[in-house]
Amino acid sequence: MQLLLKSIFTCALFVIFVYATAQSLLKVQETEARQAAYLNISSHSSSADDQSSSNLSQDDGHFLSRRLRQVQAQVQARQVVHGEEGVEGAPSQLEDELKQLMKTNVDAPDVEELRQCSEGLVLPLWMPQRNISIGDRLIRGFVYFMLLIYLFVGVSIIADRFMAAIEAITSIERAVVVKGPNNTKQVMHVRIWNETVANLTLMALGSSAPEILLSVIEIYAKDFESGDLGPGTIVGSAAYNLFMIIAVCMIWIPAGEVRRIRHLRVFFVTALFSIFAYVWLWLILSVFTPGVILVWEAIVTLLFFPLTVLWAYIAERRLLVYKYMDKNYRVNKRGTVVAGEHDQVEMDAEKGPKHPMVTSSRPNDAEAFDEARREYIHVLTELRQKYPEADLEQLEMMAQEQVLARSNKSRAFYRIQATRKMVGSGNLMRKIQERAHSDLTEVKAQLHAGDEEEADDPIRMYFEPGHYTVMENCGEFEVRVVRRGDISTYASVEYETQDGTASAGNDFVGRKGLLSFPPGVDEQRFRIEVIDDDVFEEDECFYIRLFNPSEGVKLAVPMIATVMILDDDHAGIFAFTDSVFEITESVGRFELKVMRYSGARGTVIVPYWTENDTATDAKDYEEARGELVFENNESEKFIDLYILEQSSYEKDVSFKVHIGEPRLAPDSTHYPKIKEVEKKSVQDLTELDRILLLSKPRNGELTTAYVRIRESQEFKATVDKLVAKANVSAVLGTSSWKEQFKDALTVIPADESEFDNDDEEEEVPSCFSYVSHFVCLFWKVLFAFVPPTDICGGYVTFVVSIFVIGVITAVIGDAASYFGCALNIKDSVTAILFVALGTSIPDTFASMIAAKHDEGADNCIGNVTGSNAVNVFLGIGLAWTIAAVYHSSHGGTFNVEPGTIGFAVALFCGEALIAIFIIMFRRWHKGIGAELGGPKISKYISAAILVFLWVFYVVICILEAYDVIRI
């Protein structure tokens, strides 16, 4: 679909070019024939008159007929004012001008239809300029047309570098301390620039820099006189943006989806000012002082730019009168709480709980940060369910990719994304993937920065492990002592046994000795003998301690080992090792240990089951129920518990695990004997029978264990740091010249991957990507010399880029003027048709990408109206202020011929009102409910109306420019 739209745009430009060229060249041929006949008749005219006519035809000829009609109208108006007797009392200046213009028209018929090119500001003039054949004009026009297209590509690429610098500047953050829900302080990073102010100032400047600079440069190139190219480009671009871009975005939305404007108040402000801007132009061009721009008019035009920004900021922040309106706040994907309309709340509520609403009297930064964390956790949960076998670190990286990919993106992102795909520089989503990997790597490195500090520690010695459990009949067991740190030297340590409840000589053989560690040896072992007897007794323990280490050696914990001797003459006492176990939610399978104390004789069966507490089975964990079978001499068993992943950032729930009454297995040696004794009465029991009953298995004190499920501190820290880094603007910038030249020389496939494709096949660049890359290679390599955005926060890139844009825009102005001159096309028509389209096509594809991937329509519609207002107030206002002040300082006036510009402005204002009405009608119509997308028939009808408005606007402006329609 996108390739089809590109083809349609290209074909439309080609058809317009061919038609305009044919018509203009036909007029050139007719004009030359009439001039030849006229010269034969008036051959007696002096050469001075010929020279004067030639000079007139260069710049002012195309204004003669329109100026003649205006002077006639002014004379008639003065006649009405001064009475029927004529204009005796009126000044005769207008009559003199009228006679001079009529004489010029009579003496030089149709002279305004054929122009000679004047020297441009940068681009050399193609000589010769006289006696040019039709074929030569056609070749020159085609060359200039192709040069214009190539220059448009170049200015689009450098404009994206400019916007990357703007994004780096507007994404500068400052650290603030906010209080969380539990009055806990938390350090957060918030942007210094307000989003609305950034969009209407720097972002609008970035997307409209060529049009604005073209208007200013044209004023300078024409010695501070007015021209048609700059203002015509701004007006033509505004019409194309409002009608064609919105029409394309309407039908570009996937079937069954809609896009609504989120910041409706800001849209109303920018829409109002975008229409008022052109009304104001019409007033100062045709009503207040026709044909003259006074200094105050130009300055007021320029001052409307900060007024627009201020008003939009007030509307977005709900200041002044807005603070009395209903306040509903929503949390966007970047974790920012923003004000939303009442119907926006209802629309998001219908979508489900994906983006919960926050309703409060004041947005809370801590709540915004918490919502961003919940978004990350939600994505992580989806990925764990989709990839159950993946490890946590891999899932965290994938979650960071998706959070970055789903987050709200600025106009700069979509503009750069569109340009990269058009010139074969790949997809920004790949840079998001690389950024997510680097973010996770950096965060993990920060969290584990203190884990690798053992190299400088002294030599340490300790038992490993520090606790031993042995059976009474085991004979001997082995004890292990390890050395850590520098093992290149000799070291030694002494050890000895100490009595506990078990005593040396009765329960074990006491031992004392010296352990030597030669260079390169990091562990030593020794053995302890246990004494077995046939007397039933409780579990006993003794200790082994290390002491008297050699010089330079430090004893570390555990420096005392505990040895537990289990009596093998008893079936055992069964219990958990502890009453509470804390585990992390991401553990998956947890093994809960059940110990067998005071004996290990015979096979014993122990039942177990789980019970809900604050945790719920099938939600937080899987219910477990079964039996543990302890074989003869087996002292421990494990209950397998499966924890279900819910990815709750502040999770803290628990459940119980119980063990029941243990019983001997029927095949146990003591089972028949115990059964016989149990049948006897108490009076008949012998002492041996009582000892036998005492040896039955039984439960200990800890028969219930609480399993507490919490999220790990490391996971919390990882989430916090990743959420703080989830700023997609960072992928737009560059960190080094090496990275820039690598990007400039590499062909990258412009795939549409969103990281959720199952196939892992590597994408191969298409033929179109290769062609685009090699066509644009000159611009890519040239602009790779622009300083990276990481230098001075993007300010150096900002200055260099705007300078380069100015140079290329000056060349575009010269090429556009030469193009129109070669084919005898007026500058006003060239500006509205060719230059406006060339500067706006990148914005078209940027809006298409934004319409498809954004949840709202602000980047498609809101930025169009805001850009239109900024273009007039800043582009025309700045240029005319410079010219008006210049002429005023020299005692003159700045004259601006209303002409086609005045007519185009008036026509645009009327059509813009129709377009805004269509947009609002679609929003409030129950069957549509959105500005973009919706039912297929309605969106195609709406788009067709907008396309018709643009075509009608262009056709009428061209007809008026060539006096087919006279005003």
Side-chain angles (χ1 to χ4, degrees):
M1 185 64 179
Q2 188 171 358
L3 182 60
L4 176 62
L5 288 175
K6 291 180 183 178
S7 304
I8 292 175
F9 277 118
T10 304
C11 293
L13 282 174
F14 182 73
V15 170
I16 293 173
F17 167 73
V18 172
Y19 177 77
T21 301
Q23 293 295 321
S24 298
L25 292 180
L26 180 62
K27 186 171 291 187
V28 167
Q29 189 174 12
E30 294 175 355
T31 302
E32 288 178 344
R34 288 198 298 270
Q35 285 185 346
Y38 174 74
L39 290 175
N40 290 334
I41 295 174
S42 57
S43 58
H44 61 279
S45 300
S46 64
S47 59
D49 294 338
D50 292 338
Q51 182 65 32
S52 174
S53 176
S54 175
N55 293 337
L56 181 65
S57 67
Q58 291 184 19
D59 296 308
D60 301 325
H62 61 289
F63 288 142
L64 288 178
S65 60
R66 180 179 290 108
R67 183 61 182 158
L68 178 60
R69 296 196 304 273
Q70 291 176 345
V71 172
Q72 288 175 338
Q74 293 178 19
V75 169
Q76 292 174 1
R78 289 184 178 275
Q79 289 176 346
V80 172
V81 172
H82 292 278
E84 296 294 333
E85 69 277 4
V87 291
E88 296 177 358
S92 60
Q93 181 180 0
L94 289 176
E95 289 184 333
D96 294 340
E97 184 179 357
L98 177 62
K99 292 177 182 179
Q100 182 64 32
L101 290 173
M102 293 179 65
K103 181 179 182 301
T104 303
N105 265 1
V106 171
D107 292 343
D110 294 331
V111 72
E112 76 278 4
E113 296 182 3
L114 190 61
R115 302 163 50 201
Q116 289 188 13
C117 303
S118 57
E119 188 72 28
L121 184 63
V122 179
L123 195 64
L125 186 62
W126 192 334
M127 303 301 291
Q129 287 294 309
R130 293 181 178 275
N131 302 322
I132 304 174
S133 66
I134 298 297
D136 195 0
R137 287 182 178 273
L138 183 61
I139 292 174
R140 292 188 181 191
F142 180 76
V143 171
Y144 284 131
F145 181 73
M146 298 305 296
L147 177 61
L148 274 176
I149 293 178
Y150 198 64
L151 289 171
F152 288 145
V153 173
V155 79
S156 177
I157 295 175
I158 187 60
D160 290 341
R161 297 298 309 279
F162 182 54
M163 294 192 76
I166 291 172
E167 186 74 8
I169 294 172
T170 57
S171 62
I172 295 176
E173 298 176 336
R174 61 186 177 90
V176 296
V177 178
V178 298
K179 290 186 177 181
N182 298 325
N183 207 28
T184 57
K185 291 184 178 181
Q186 190 173 28
V187 178
M188 293 175 52
H189 295 273
V190 297
R191 289 193 174 191
I192 297 176
W193 280 78
N194 175 268
E195 186 176 3
T196 298
V197 174
N199 284 338
L200 287 178
T201 53
L202 295 181
M203 289 300 174
L205 177 63
S207 61
S208 304
E211 295 98 319
I212 295 172
L213 290 177
L214 180 61
S215 179
V216 175
I217 290 172
E218 186 186 33
I219 288 291
Y220 173 78
K222 290 185 174 293
D223 296 327
F224 300 97
E225 297 295 339
S226 67
D228 287 337
L229 202 59
T233 299
I234 289 177
V235 178
S237 176
Y240 179 87
N241 291 347
L242 186 60
F243 303 137
M244 290 299 295
I245 289 183
I246 295 179
V248 170
C249 290
M250 278 184 184
I251 62 176
W252 187 246
I253 303 298
E257 297 183 14
V258 294
R259 302 288 186 271
R260 292 169 60 89
I261 296 175
R262 297 295 183 92
H263 299 278
L264 191 58
R265 294 181 310 281
V266 176
F267 169 73
F268 281 147
V269 171
T270 56
L272 174 65
F273 273 97
S274 67
I275 296 177
F276 171 75
Y278 294 95
V279 172
W280 174 255
L281 274 186
W282 174 75
L283 290 175
I284 63 177
L285 281 172
S286 304
V287 177
F288 294 159
T289 52
V292 178
I293 299 298
L294 302 179
V295 175
W296 73 267
E297 293 174 335
I299 293 177
V300 169
T301 304
L302 182 60
L303 290 178
F304 278 130
F305 168 64
L307 180 61
T308 304
V309 176
L310 178 61
W311 196 349
Y313 175 77
I314 291 173
E316 194 265 342
R317 297 293 296 174
R318 287 182 173 268
L319 304 176
L320 300 180
V321 297
Y322 296 99
K323 68 182 181 179
Y324 299 106
M325 299 180 181
D326 180 41
K327 298 178 181 178
N328 294 305
Y329 293 94
R330 65 180 177 84
V331 182
N332 65 18
K333 285 188 176 182
R334 294 167 72 173
T336 304
V337 177
V338 294
E341 307 304 319
H342 179 68
D343 56 354
Q344 175 63 37
V345 177
E346 294 176 351
M347 183 184 71
D348 284 350
E350 292 174 359
K351 289 183 178 180
K354 183 177 180 181
H355 300 292
M357 311 305 298
V358 178
T359 303
S360 64
S361 60
R362 183 73 177 170
N364 189 302
D365 289 334
E367 292 177 358
F369 193 75
D370 289 341
E371 180 58 30
R373 283 193 302 223
R374 284 193 288 270
E375 171 71 14
Y376 180 89
I377 296 298
H378 176 77
V379 174
L380 188 61
T381 302
E382 292 179 346
L383 290 172
R384 279 173 170 167
Q385 293 174 355
K386 188 174 183 179
Y387 305 103
E389 301 300 325
D391 58 31
L392 179 60
E393 185 168 334
Q394 182 180 3
L395 294 176
E396 286 174 341
M397 186 184 72
M398 296 170 67
Q400 182 73 351
E401 290 175 10
Q402 294 202 13
V403 168
L404 286 171
R406 295 181 184 182
S407 62
N408 281 355
K409 302 174 183 65
S410 65
R411 180 74 175 178
F413 179 90
Y414 293 116
R415 172 66 185 262
I416 295 174
Q417 170 78 320
T419 303
R420 287 177 66 92
K421 295 173 72 174
M422 289 173 62
V423 301
S425 294
N427 195 330
L428 280 177
M429 295 301 176
R430 291 179 177 269
K431 294 196 71 174
I432 288 180
Q433 191 174 23
E434 296 171 0
R435 169 66 193 279
H437 185 271
S438 66
D439 282 351
L440 184 62
T441 303
E442 181 181 348
V443 167
K444 293 296 186 183
Q446 291 175 358
L447 294 177
H448 296 91
D451 293 347
E452 304 296 333
E453 299 179 354
E454 296 183 357
D456 298 331
D457 287 348
I459 302 173
R460 294 169 292 118
M461 290 186 182
Y462 53 89
F463 288 105
E464 190 178 75
H467 186 89
Y468 295 85
T469 302
V470 297
M471 300 302 300
E472 189 180 46
N473 60 355
C474 70
E476 291 184 340
F477 68 95
E478 192 173 63
V479 180
R480 180 169 175 257
V481 178
V482 298
R483 173 172 66 160
R484 295 291 180 260
D486 184 11
I487 63 173
S488 62
T489 60
Y490 176 85
S492 64
V493 66
E494 295 185 53
Y495 69 91
E496 66 176 359
T497 59
Q498 291 182 341
D499 291 349
T501 55
S503 59
N506 295 324
D507 300 301
F508 67 94
V509 178
R511 187 169 180 180
K512 182 178 181 180
L514 176 69
L515 297 177
S516 299
F517 292 81
V521 176
D522 62 353
E523 71 172 51
Q524 289 288 359
R525 302 169 186 253
F526 59 93
R527 303 185 69 83
I528 300 292
E529 182 181 353
V530 178
I531 300 174
D532 188 13
D533 57 36
D534 295 330
V535 179
F536 169 72
E537 52 191 355
E538 298 289 338
D539 293 343
E540 299 172 317
C541 66
F542 68 96
Y543 308 100
I544 311 171
R545 74 179 185 96
L546 299 177
F547 66 99
N548 193 23
S550 60
E551 185 178 356
V553 178
K554 179 182 178 181
L555 295 180
V557 177
M559 63 182 70
I560 297 179
T562 302
V563 182
M564 179 70 69
I565 302 175
L566 302 183
D567 186 81
D568 60 347
D569 301 316
H570 190 277
I573 300 174
F574 298 86
F576 293 111
T577 57
D578 202 349
S579 60
V580 178
F581 297 87
E582 287 195 6
I583 61 175
T584 61
E585 185 184 28
S586 57
V587 70
R589 183 171 72 97
F590 174 64
E591 294 181 340
L592 181 60
K593 182 187 290 188
V594 179
M595 290 297 299
R596 185 183 195 180
Y597 302 101
S598 299
R601 179 171 294 181
T603 303
V604 179
I605 300 174
V606 181
Y608 66 88
W609 66 93
T610 57
E611 179 186 354
N612 291 343
D613 190 32
T614 54
T616 307
D617 64 285
K619 178 184 177 183
D620 300 302
Y621 69 98
E622 290 184 5
E623 182 183 12
R625 184 178 295 271
E627 294 179 336
L628 298 177
V629 179
F630 286 79
E631 300 293 340
N632 188 42
N633 290 333
E634 192 172 16
S635 60
E636 62 182 33
K637 277 287 188 179
F638 297 92
I639 301 175
D640 289 336
L641 301 174
Y642 293 91
I643 309 303
L644 300 181
E645 191 59 62
Q646 294 295 324
S647 298
S648 175
Y649 180 81
E650 296 291 347
K651 188 165 190 175
D652 187 0
V653 294
S654 62
F655 64 96
K656 303 175 185 178
V657 182
H658 303 279
I659 56 174
E661 192 68 30
R663 65 182 187 275
L664 284 171
D667 59 348
S668 177
T669 306
H670 294 279
Y671 184 79
K673 297 179 180 179
I674 292 177
K675 284 297 182 182
E676 285 186 22
V677 172
E678 287 178 344
K679 295 178 182 179
K680 296 180 180 180
S681 63
V682 179
Q683 295 80 6
D684 297 334
L685 292 178
T686 65
E687 186 65 25
L688 185 60
D689 292 337
R690 289 189 179 92
I691 293 175
L692 189 60
L693 288 176
L694 288 175
S695 68
K696 286 175 54 179
R698 65 180 187 272
N699 280 333
E701 294 182 0
L702 300 178
T703 58
T704 299
Y706 285 83
V707 180
R708 188 178 182 184
I709 307 174
R710 304 185 68 180
E711 203 47 89
S712 67
Q713 292 299 320
E714 180 178 346
F715 178 76
K716 287 184 178 182
T718 302
V719 172
D720 287 347
K721 289 181 179 295
L722 288 177
V723 169
K725 287 177 171 290
N727 183 1
V728 75
S729 62
V731 304
L732 304 182
T734 51
S735 58
S736 64
W737 272 286
K738 178 181 178 181
E739 178 185 353
Q740 293 182 173
F741 279 101
K742 180 181 178 181
D743 291 341
L745 298 173
T746 306
V747 185
I748 304 175
D751 62 285
E752 298 292 339
S753 173
E754 294 294 338
F755 315 118
D756 55 359
N757 294 334
D758 293 333
D759 53 335
E760 299 294 335
E761 296 182 4
E762 183 178 356
E763 294 287 341
V764 179
S766 63
C767 179
F768 177 79
S769 297
Y770 278 108
V771 173
S772 301
H773 170 74
F774 287 110
V775 168
C776 304
L777 185 61
F778 168 77
W779 296 121
K780 290 182 177 181
V781 175
L782 179 63
F783 299 147
F785 287 97
V786 175
T789 55
D790 279 8
I791 298 179
C792 297
Y795 287 99
V796 177
T797 311
F798 179 91
V799 174
V800 174
S801 297
I802 199 169
F803 173 77
V804 176
I805 291 174
V807 173
I808 299 178
T809 302
V811 180
I812 288 176
D814 292 346
S817 181
Y818 295 163
F819 166 75
C821 184
L823 299 179
N824 199 36
I825 301 175
K826 293 187 176 181
D827 280 349
S828 59
V829 177
T830 303
I832 291 175
L833 261 184
F834 298 102
V835 184
L837 264 67
T839 57
S840 298
I841 284 180
D843 286 325
T844 304
F845 294 110
S847 296
M848 290 164 58
I849 297 174
K852 183 176 180 181
H853 296 288
D854 262 8
E855 288 192 350
D858 297 79
N859 276 323
C860 307
I861 299 178
N863 284 337
V864 166
T865 55
S867 179
N868 287 351
V870 170
N871 283 356
V872 173
F873 295 143
L874 189 57
I876 296 181
L878 180 60
W880 285 3
T881 298
I882 294 173
V885 171
Y886 174 84
H887 285 286
S888 177
S889 64
H890 288 76
T893 58
F894 177 48
N895 300 319
V896 178
E897 179 65 37
T900 302
I901 299 302
F903 177 78
V905 165
L907 179 61
F908 173 77
C909 290
E911 292 191 351
L913 290 174
I914 298 175
I916 298 298
F917 172 78
I918 292 174
I919 293 172
M920 291 297 98
F921 173 80
R922 288 176 53 83
R923 180 183 180 91
W924 288 316
H925 190 276
K926 293 183 179 179
I928 304 175
E931 292 82 359
L932 304 180
K936 187 174 182 180
I937 296 177
S938 64
K939 71 179 181 181
Y940 275 98
I941 292 176
S942 302
I945 295 174
L946 294 178
V947 171
F948 171 77
L949 290 176
W950 181 73
V951 173
F952 180 79
Y953 167 82
V954 171
V955 171
I956 296 300
C957 286
I958 293 175
L959 295 178
E960 194 278 336
Y962 287 104
D963 291 332
V964 177
I965 297 176
R966 297 189 175 185
I967 56 172

